[in-house]
């Protein structure tokens, strides 16, 4: 009898499972294995189809991956991106992290000027009126708990 797919399994979740409204699905890190009726298995990650992702609406979503009429599911969360409100929290995620320092460095290097131009006051954690590498260093020091505030 012909060999058929008996099940597929997500053997490694995607690296990203939380998205802001409007972001595109990123399947980096995803690994899917197919199991066959003859007892063999194999990676089919590059052969799957993906349905169920809609980043226009916040909330939890079930993403369906399919191969040869067999499917498996995983969940993602879509959240609304809030603009930054706290000094140092440039990406507006409610935490001051190394990612915020990287945004400052990208801003200084003119790689993301338009996206963060309105947040210069929040990026200027050293209060000198200029966005410099010192602001990024202060965020890194804050994240490492070397300093406890930007006052």
């Amino acid at each position: 009898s012909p060999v058929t797919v008996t099940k597929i399994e997500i053997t490694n979740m995607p690296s990203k499972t939380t998205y802001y409204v409007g972001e595109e699905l990123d399947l980096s890190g995803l690994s899917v294995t197919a199991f066959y009726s003859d007892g063999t298995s194999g990676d089919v990650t590059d052969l799957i189809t993906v349905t169920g992702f809609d980043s226009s609406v916040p909330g939890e979503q079930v993403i369906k991956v399919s191969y040869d009429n067999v499917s498996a599911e995983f969940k993602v969360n879509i959240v609304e991106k809030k603009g930054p409100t706290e000094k140092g929290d440039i990406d507006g995620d409610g935490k001051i992290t190394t990612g915020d320092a990287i945004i400052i460095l990208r801003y200084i290097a003119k790689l993301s000027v338009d996206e963060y131009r309105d947040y210069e006051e929040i990026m200027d954690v050293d209060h000198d009126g200029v966005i410099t590498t010192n602001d990024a260093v202060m965020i890194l020091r804050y994240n490492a708990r070397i300093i406890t505030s930007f006052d």
Side-chain angles (χ1 to χ4, degrees):
S1 64
V3 176
T4 59
V5 177
T6 57
K7 75 173 184 172
I8 65 171
E9 187 176 290
I10 297 170
T11 47
N12 198 37
M13 287 290 288
S15 303
K16 183 172 181 152
T17 57
T18 300
Y19 293 86
Y20 289 118
V21 170
E23 278 190 299
E24 292 186 24
L25 183 64
D26 179 359
L27 296 176
S28 301
L30 177 69
S31 180
V32 179
T33 301
F35 296 88
Y36 299 94
S37 57
D38 66 355
T40 61
S41 63
D43 186 294
V44 293
T45 306
D46 294 336
L47 304 172
I48 61 169
T49 56
V50 180
T51 56
F53 183 77
D54 176 7
S55 70
S56 67
V57 180
E60 187 175 84
Q61 295 180 4
V62 176
I63 307 303
K64 184 177 178 179
V65 296
S66 302
Y67 170 71
D68 200 27
N69 294 320
V70 180
S71 62
E73 299 174 341
F74 67 93
K75 294 179 181 179
V76 298
N77 195 25
I78 312 297
V79 296
E80 292 196 41
K81 186 170 187 176
K82 300 174 185 169
T85 57
E86 180 183 358
K87 267 229 193 276
D89 179 20
I90 297 119
D91 61 10
D93 67 355
K95 300 174 277 194
I96 299 169
T97 66
T98 56
D100 297 303
I102 290 169
I103 290 170
I104 289 176
L105 296 173
R106 290 180 54 80
Y107 184 84
I108 293 166
K110 303 198 182 319
L111 298 174
S112 58
V113 173
D114 291 337
E115 186 177 354
Y116 293 101
R117 178 170 282 129
D118 295 336
Y119 306 135
E120 288 180 350
E121 184 177 328
I122 292 188
M123 287 191 275
D124 183 19
V125 295
D126 65 2
H127 310 285
D128 69 353
V130 183
I131 310 304
T132 65
T133 56
N134 190 54
D135 296 300
V137 169
M138 285 187 70
I139 288 175
L140 294 173
R141 293 180 71 204
Y142 179 88
N143 192 263
R145 295 183 175 85
I146 296 169
I147 61 173
T148 58
S149 73
F150 300 119
D151 297 328

